Amino acid sequence: AQSVAQPEDQVNVAEGNPLTVKCTYSVSGNPYLFWYVQYPNRGLQFLLKYITGDNLVKGSYGFEAEFNKSQTSFHLKKPSALVSDSALYFCAVRDSGSARQLTFGSGTQLTVLP
Amino acid sequence: GAGVSQSPSNKVTEKGKDVELRCDPISGHTALYWYRQSLGQGLEFLIYFQGNSAPDKSGLPSDRFSAERTGGSVSTLTIQRTQQEDSAVYLCASSLADGGVTEAFFGQGTRLTVV
């Protein structure tokens, strides 16, 4: 079975400071990892993904994430937070062996304070 | 269409009634997912369709829930004898059938309220 954990329900950061949203995963094979963002009353928007190759992946709106196989983590980062980054963030995983269901974490509410 | 389309966007129904939620995926996407998101919660997987393969129904919470996908395109999620705990946002997503490397694209969701 595959699973995703987002250990923080809420992350607060001051505007201009770096932000990190944590994600750890569990799969039996190799992971395909994704980050999505959800703004209020909106659907989920894709931010970035890790499939293979370079452990640091860059995505939309200045976000990046680092894949760490030994720690089974895929934390989302941004060097300088904006108030407009405030939203609900979801990490998701697929097992490359099954490539079927996309399993999501419980989400982390990011609030960037002006 | 340009994106995943879901209808209706909002649905209010009385307890005990049946409801049908529709999802029109991106053209050419053979993988289709249904998720449920309760207020302030994460995404709960419901069902997954992939081409002509048997759907993965492992996430359906009870036999009151069913889904079909006609002609490999449009999907309908049906909830029979709705209960108040069925109130949630139902999200549909689609993706290419490329071994799972392509991200899923989500619709705006259907907000279901059972009164």
Side-chain angles (χ1 to χ4, degrees):
Chain A
Q2 57 193 46
S3 65
V4 176
Q6 292 181 243
E8 300 159 318
D9 292 336
Q10 175 83 39
V11 170
N12 296 327
V13 63
E15 187 174 29
N17 282 0
L19 70 86
T20 298
V21 182
K22 296 179 180 178
C23 171
T24 59
Y25 66 89
S26 175
V27 295
S28 54
N30 291 318
Y32 295 153
L33 293 154
F34 305 83
W35 274 102
Y36 286 82
V37 60
Q38 186 178 38
Y39 297 101
N41 300 314
R42 302 282 297 277
L44 272 72
Q45 297 178 29
F46 168 74
L47 276 179
L48 50 78
K49 65 182 176 183
Y50 170 83
I51 303 299
T52 188
D54 195 348
N55 289 344
L56 184 65
V57 294
K58 295 185 184 296
S60 307
Y61 312 121
F63 283 94
E64 57 189 30
E66 186 167 11
F67 170 64
N68 188 317
K69 187 172 183 178
S70 63
Q71 296 185 4
T72 61
S73 67
F74 189 57
H75 301 330
L76 181 70
K77 300 181 180 183
K78 187 173 182 180
S80 179
L82 300 172
V83 172
S84 57
D85 293 330
S86 299
L88 187 56
Y89 290 81
F90 290 97
C91 182
V93 69
R94 273 197 192 108
D95 187 328
S96 62
S98 65
R100 292 170 64 84
Q101 180 191 140
L102 186 60
T103 299
F104 283 82
S106 56
T108 298
Q109 180 66 49
L110 172 68
T111 301
V112 181
L113 305 168
Chain B
V4 177
S5 178
Q6 291 188 245
S7 61
S9 55
N10 280 283
K11 175 72 175 178
V12 179
T13 189
E14 292 181 352
K15 178 181 174 181
K17 300 285 189 181
D18 297 352
V19 295
E20 286 189 352
L21 312 179
R22 176 188 169 102
C23 173
D24 198 343
I26 293 172
S27 178
H29 282 192
T30 59
L32 187 148
Y33 311 77
W34 282 99
Y35 292 87
R36 176 168 72 175
Q37 184 178 26
S38 300
L39 186 62
Q41 301 298 311
L43 275 72
E44 176 188 5
F45 167 75
L46 297 177
I47 189 168
Y48 167 71
F49 295 91
Q50 174 57 281
N52 295 321
S53 301
D56 177 355
K57 303 179 181 180
S58 61
L60 294 178
S62 77
D63 59 7
R64 296 187 294 106
F65 288 72
S66 63
E68 64 177 18
R69 190 176 184 191
T70 54
S73 181
V74 172
S75 176
T76 302
L77 177 69
T78 301
I79 308 173
Q80 296 178 310
R81 305 180 303 281
T82 51
Q83 303 295 313
Q84 288 186 330
E85 60 263 29
D86 299 333
S87 296
V89 176
Y90 289 81
L91 293 167
C92 176
S94 70
S95 68
L96 292 169
D98 59 356
V101 301
T102 302
E103 60 272 21
F105 293 83
F106 281 79
Q108 296 298 301
T110 294
R111 182 176 298 277
L112 175 67
T113 303
V114 182
V115 297

